[in-house]
Amino acid sequence: MDVNAAVAAAAAIAGVCTGVIAMLAFRWSERDQKRPTRTSLHTDAVLPPGVDTVLSVLRSSAVVLDEADAVVKASSAAYALGLVRGGKLAVEPMLQMARDTRRDGEIRQVELDLPRRGTGRGEALAVSARVAPLGSRLVLLLVEDLTEARRIEAVRRDFVANVSHELKTPVGALSLLSEAVMDAADDPEAVERFAGRMQIEATRLTNLVQELIDLSRVQNDDPLEDAEPVRVDELVTEAIDRCRHQAGTKQITMAAGGTADLHIWGNRGQLAAALGNLVENAVNYSPARTRVGIAARRVNAPGGDLIEIAVTDQGIGISDKDKERIFERFYRVDPARSRQTGGTGLGLAIVKHVAASHGGEVAVWSSEGQGSTFTLKLPEAGAARDRGQQSTAERDDLDGEDPGADAQNDTHTAQHESRETREPIPAPEVLP
């Protein structure tokens, strides 16, 4: 009897212990589930309501850090910029800013230059980083890419500097020449000589101002708003007439040929200015008693037929390093020669903008001592109507674009065409 009572008491004690252990295990498990883990910190649930939605629509790269500096949330742009790697913020200055903000709750902002990933070039990535507390435990980092804005600002700053320099030269010359005329009032020959120089400088100043106006117009206006079918033959004739006197002075023969009765859809004035600039360039940089050819032809292209207008000269040619920059504003292959010819360095920049705004491009082939061929490639009248909606966006992209980079791409394309581009003049008509 005593044995049975002892067994029963032991069983009761064991049951109580088992119940207590089970209850403790349940409570421990429940508490463990409620405790935030590193995995749970990487889910959207830890973010305050609505933050995830706001971060998804921000243009800036966004990174949310927890108290252990682990990344809770990061936008795809943050990964693309290389800010986040392996679940950690990879930029030490930004990480230090986040720690300081977590400590004192103060909003911080700084601009940094970061190495660019995935390129062999030593270009820096300019960013603006802003850190702010997000709730009691999280820190929000917003990073904005300033690289493009800085590049555009540099282009504009250089443009203003170049304009100021180019305007200063003829204005200063006119001032000095006017003083010389006053001092030589009793010498008719000197007055006549100085007056002739003043006319040259005044013409150069007028051309510069006019080309600045033309460049501004082709950048800001939509040429297809008042577009019309334009005969290529008429554009060629007008370009030749524009340069006939200069060509005659140097005894340069001008030849027109190619396919007749071609049409381009666009602004007639801008197209005439672009082709006129190419022909004038060819005449100015060609030696005496040489030949300049202008020819047009139709070529097949995936998006519709293109009209190619090639201007070929037998001039001094362009070196490889200069071909990368000739479409930049105010860039001159030979500054000394440009002063003799009155060139402003804006002609090819205008050609490039006109071509792009009409849905086309301009390419160049050249070899030093063998001459150059500039080719305008524009959609034919029928195909150009279909491209009208795209031209405005292409033109706007040019405002912040590096002219040298696009010129390099055009040059690369044109070099593959090589001699094919220089053979577009079947049986040209020689013009006096």
Side-chain angles (χ1 to χ4, degrees), residues 256-269:
T259 306
D261 200 28
L262 299 177
H263 292 78
I264 299 172
W265 183 261
N267 183 294
R268 191 184 190 285

Side-chain angles (χ1 to χ4, degrees), residues 2 22 60 114 141 143 200 220 228 282 323 351 407 428:
D2 292 337
S60 303
L114 307 178
L141 171 66
V143 180
I200 294 175
N220 297 324
E228 58 179 334
K323 278 190 286 190
V351 174

Side-chain angles (χ1 to χ4, degrees), residues 128-392:
S128 174
R130 185 178 179 86
V131 180
L134 184 63
S136 60
R137 297 184 299 108
L138 304 179
V139 174
L140 173 62
L141 171 66
L142 296 177
V143 180
E144 185 177 358
D145 187 358
L146 303 179
T147 308
E148 187 68 13
R150 284 191 180 181
R151 188 178 64 82
I152 293 174
E153 181 61 29
V155 169
R156 290 176 178 171
R157 185 170 56 250
D158 292 343
F159 179 70
V160 172
N162 287 331
V163 169
S164 302
H165 175 73
E166 294 296 332
L167 288 173
K168 182 179 179 181
T169 301
V171 170
L174 287 172
S175 177
L176 292 175
L177 288 169
S178 64
E179 293 179 5
V181 168
M182 293 178 63
D183 293 340
D186 297 333
D187 188 349
E189 293 184 1
V191 169
E192 184 177 357
R193 183 171 67 255
F194 292 143
R197 290 295 307 167
M198 291 177 69
Q199 287 183 336
I200 294 175
E201 296 298 335
T203 300
R204 178 178 300 176
L205 181 60
T206 301
N207 292 339
L208 175 59
V209 173
Q210 184 59 51
E211 290 199 343
L212 285 171
I213 294 173
D214 293 341
L215 181 60
S216 175
R217 183 178 294 120
V218 300
Q219 287 179 323
N220 297 324
D221 294 346
D222 184 359
L224 300 184
E225 284 184 357
D226 53 354
E228 58 179 334
V230 180
R231 286 178 56 90
V232 176
D233 294 340
E234 294 178 358
L235 295 178
V236 173
T237 301
E238 185 173 336
I240 291 175
D241 289 341
R242 169 177 167 177
C243 305
R244 190 182 299 275
H245 175 72
Q246 297 161 277
T249 302
K250 300 172 67 175
Q251 299 181 13
I252 293 177
T253 302
M254 304 183 70
T259 306
D261 200 28
L262 299 177
H263 292 78
I264 299 172
W265 183 261
N267 183 294
R268 191 184 190 285
Q270 292 190 14
L271 293 171
L275 184 58
N277 285 347
L278 291 181
V279 176
E280 186 175 12
N281 232 36
V283 172
N284 286 338
Y285 287 90
S286 292
R289 293 180 293 278
T290 56
R291 181 175 178 270
V292 172
I294 309 100
R297 65 177 180 179
R298 181 189 293 108
V299 296
N300 296 326
D305 290 347
L306 295 175
I307 303 299
E308 289 189 352
I309 308 175
V311 179
T312 305
D313 63 60
Q314 298 172 326
I316 59 176
I318 306 171
S319 66
D320 291 338
K321 67 179 182 66
D322 287 324
K323 278 190 286 190
E324 299 178 0
R325 301 190 59 191
I326 55 174
F327 293 99
E328 293 181 23
R329 302 157 183 165
F330 294 108
Y331 184 78
R332 298 184 176 109
V333 174
D334 185 352
R337 190 179 183 90
S338 295
R339 285 193 293 269
Q340 296 174 2
T341 60
T344 63
L346 290 174
L348 292 180
I350 293 174
V351 174
K352 177 185 176 182
H353 279 280
V354 170
S357 64
H358 284 76
E361 62 177 353
V362 58
V364 58
W365 179 96
S366 185
S367 179
E368 291 186 271
Q370 298 184 31
S372 307
T373 295
F374 286 85
T375 305
L376 264 178
K377 302 178 182 180
L378 300 166
E380 196 174 13
R385 292 188 183 94
D386 301 332
R387 302 188 186 186
Q389 298 298 326
Q390 303 175 4
S391 63
T392 301

Side-chain angles (χ1 to χ4, degrees), residues 38-48 50-58 60-67 69-79 83-85 87-89 134 138-143:
R38 181 171 296 274
T39 304
S40 66
L41 286 174
H42 286 269
T43 64
D44 296 340
V46 300
L47 293 176
V51 173
D52 192 15
T53 303
V54 173
L55 295 181
S56 65
V57 298
L58 288 177
S60 303
S61 303
V63 181
V64 179
L65 303 175
D66 64 11
E67 62 269 21
D69 291 335
V71 176
V72 176
K73 179 74 176 180
S75 64
S76 57
Y79 286 98
L83 304 179
V84 179
R85 302 176 194 171
K88 293 288 185 178
L89 186 61
L134 184 63
L138 304 179
V139 174
L140 173 62
L141 171 66
L142 296 177
V143 180

Side-chain angles (χ1 to χ4, degrees), residues 397-421:
D397 289 341
L398 284 170
D399 292 338
E401 197 175 353
D402 182 4
D406 282 348
Q408 183 175 5
N409 293 335
D410 292 340
T411 302
H412 179 71
T413 302
Q415 284 174 338
H416 282 285
E417 295 173 355
S418 190
R419 291 291 177 180
E420 295 179 3
T421 310

